[in-house]
Amino acid sequence: AVLVVPVVATNLIHKKRRNSPSIYSTVFLGTSFVYSLAFVATSTPVLGTDALLATSPLCIMQGVVIQFCVCMLLLSWLLCAYALYKIVTGPPSAIEKLSAYRRRHIIGCMVLSAALTAFPYLLIGAPEPQQNGLFCWLNNDVSLFWSKFASFLVWFFLILCIGCYYIIAVLRKLCAVFNEQTEEGP
């Protein structure tokens, strides 16, 4: 997590990088940093075994932060895949269009992540400590797993499929360009 700090700081400090599609990778790396920091700061080995009782505020906070960060990681990965897709397969004006809508994309990503975090907890209940005792997130009762997180897993699968579509299109385009260049020479 500490290794991403220079990249995130550079992308935030330099205005050119802040206004370019690289801001999507900054969101992804920043979210991974927050996730790692939250996990380490609230983990049981650091705070002791009594820190993560199911009703403790720490357990609820950790469960919410971890779920939000996991949602943001996947959605920001989707944003990165979409940006690559638009830049590699789109017209030269794609970068300007991405830059124009970057705030909407990032805010939409945050709102959807907040919804995917809030709805399970509001409808079903607070997070619970895991069997290994290191963090709070999913319910320990396996019989409730599918009913409790079916929509969460469906959203993740849908986002993964869309992202894979973008990445496969990018790889095909790059392979085609590479094949054209190797036929003409180096």
Side-chain angles (χ1 to χ4, degrees):
V2 174
L3 296 175
V4 302
V5 171
V7 176
V8 171
T10 302
N11 285 349
L12 292 176
I13 291 170
H14 294 297
K15 188 170 184 166
K16 275 185 177 178
R17 295 193 55 104
R18 202 172 42 233
N19 292 332
S20 73
S22 68
I23 196 69
Y24 297 138
S25 63
T26 302
V27 171
F28 178 76
L29 293 172
T31 303
S32 68
F33 176 74
V34 171
Y35 172 79
S36 301
L37 192 65
F39 195 84
V40 169
T42 58
S43 65
T44 311
V46 175
L47 301 172
T49 55
D50 296 334
L52 291 181
L53 298 174
T55 56
S56 74
L58 181 64
C59 183
I60 293 169
M61 183 207 59
Q62 186 189 45
V64 167
V65 169
I66 286 177
Q67 181 144 342
F68 179 80
C69 287
V70 167
C71 293
M72 276 296 292
L73 279 170
L74 195 57
L75 288 169
S76 58
W77 173 79
L78 181 62
L79 279 178
C80 292
Y82 176 73
L84 277 173
Y85 173 77
K86 285 298 193 182
I87 292 168
V88 173
T89 64
S93 63
I95 292 178
E96 289 82 21
K97 289 180 182 178
L98 280 172
S99 295
Y101 291 113
R102 72 184 179 284
R103 284 192 179 117
R104 289 182 188 169
H105 291 156
I106 293 169
I107 290 171
C109 186
M110 290 176 151
V111 167
L112 188 55
S113 295
L116 288 172
T117 301
F119 289 140
Y121 297 151
L122 293 175
L123 297 176
I124 296 160
E128 296 180 6
Q130 292 299 286
Q131 290 176 352
N132 63 8
L134 294 177
F135 66 98
C136 294
W137 190 26
L138 301 173
N139 191 314
N140 284 328
D141 188 357
V142 178
S143 64
L144 295 175
F145 178 80
W146 289 109
S147 63
K148 189 170 184 179
F149 288 97
S151 64
F152 183 74
L153 294 174
V154 168
W155 274 102
F156 268 30
F157 182 72
L158 179 66
I159 292 167
L160 182 67
C161 290
I162 294 168
C164 286
Y165 167 78
Y166 290 141
I167 295 296
I168 289 169
V170 166
L171 291 175
R172 283 186 180 156
K173 177 73 174 191
L174 293 176
C175 284
V177 169
F178 178 74
N179 288 336
E180 285 176 15
Q181 288 180 349
T182 54
E183 289 173 4
E184 296 171 6

